[in-house]
Amino acid sequence: MAFVNWFKRNVVVIAGLLTLAYLLLPNVVVTVFSFNRPKGRFNYEWQQFSTEAWRDPCGVSGLCESLGLSLQIAFWATLGATLLGAMIAFALVRYRFRARGAVNSLIFLPMAMPEVVMAASLLTLFLNMGAELGFWTILIAHIMFCLSFVVVAVKARVMSMDPRLEQAAQDLYAGPAQTFLRVTLPIAAPGIAAGALLAFALSFDDFIITNFNAGSTVTFPMFVWGSAQRGTPVQINVIGTAMFVIAVLLVLVSMAVGNRRTRQKA
């Protein structure tokens, strides 16, 4: 009876932990097999413990080049989508104009549309324009499909802002630029940061849209897909594990900074 009562009190926590374990299981498998030394071309069965791949993560030809290209595209796509998305979000929340409702609806289309449809549409556009497929077409495509996610994240933050804070700054003789930089932007910063991180992750991870519009350019997801046909090198697991660890550390650091600021305000 005591166990039943304890289970009822903690059922939500238990369900959350089980869900988290289920989500993290693929990452655990990737991490474990990054220390494997397969006998054949495929790293699908555990053979022998080895740190050789960690000592030489760029040992596979073209891997680090594709990784660097994906990071570069993700950086510029995040920068472009964040700047445009933040401005669009502020415009949709703060201003009234014709077709505002239609624009709000169109913003959600890239999120609801299957990626293969958007990829084919962008490819048709680039071919009709006579553009050479490569770095720039990938970058434009990534900015376009990341834009909606940034707008949604920033828009939610801007809608929750208290307009009286900006009015108070104006009452204290702050100009429009000073009010925006010292009041509006710091309050909207968490939403902008969330949209930027989401855009970076989506851009770095994208395969379908990139594959349609890449031409002969090879990004990291395309390299992984091509390697899976010939044999998956252990270094792919190493890169995946490193990216996962970096992401977790960034989340922990942001949480620590947020908690510290909360304690200082208290």
Side-chain angles (χ1 to χ4, degrees), residues 47-232:
Q47 301 292 337
Q48 181 183 357
F49 179 85
S50 174
T51 60
E52 181 180 350
W54 281 94
R55 294 195 301 268
D56 188 18
C58 296
V60 179
S61 176
L63 189 150
C64 284
E65 290 79 1
S66 64
L67 176 63
L69 180 62
S70 285
L71 291 173
Q72 185 179 359
I73 291 174
F75 172 79
W76 290 112
T78 300
L79 184 61
T82 302
L83 290 174
L84 293 174
M87 290 189 289
I88 293 173
F90 273 99
L92 290 174
V93 174
R94 296 295 180 85
Y95 298 97
R96 299 292 182 268
F97 52 89
R98 290 184 179 180
R100 180 169 171 266
V103 173
N104 268 313
S105 301
L106 290 173
I107 287 296
F108 286 94
L109 276 182
M111 301 173 63
M113 185 185 303
E115 280 195 55
V116 66
V117 176
M118 188 173 184
S121 301
L122 287 169
L123 176 61
T124 303
L125 173 65
F126 292 138
L127 292 178
N128 287 333
M129 293 176 59
E132 182 180 355
L133 299 181
F135 176 88
W136 292 107
T137 55
I138 297 175
L139 179 60
I140 294 171
H142 283 207
I143 291 175
M144 290 186 68
F145 80 80
C146 289
L147 188 62
S148 297
F149 296 90
V150 177
V151 171
V152 171
V154 179
K155 184 181 173 184
R157 182 65 179 179
V158 175
M159 290 179 66
S160 66
M161 291 172 56
D162 189 351
R164 291 175 296 181
L165 296 174
E166 296 170 301
Q167 294 169 4
Q170 293 169 0
D171 291 340
L172 295 172
Y173 303 103
Q178 194 174 14
T179 301
F180 178 78
L181 293 176
R182 294 187 173 226
V183 179
T184 308
L185 188 60
I187 297 175
I192 297 174
L197 291 174
L198 183 59
F200 185 89
L202 290 169
S203 175
F204 180 83
D205 184 61
D206 182 76
F207 171 77
I208 298 177
I209 294 177
T210 305
N211 190 40
F212 270 73
N213 299 280
S216 59
T217 305
V218 179
T219 61
F220 183 68
M222 295 177 64
F223 180 88
V224 174
W225 178 79
S227 298
Q229 317 301 315
R230 306 182 301 270
T232 309

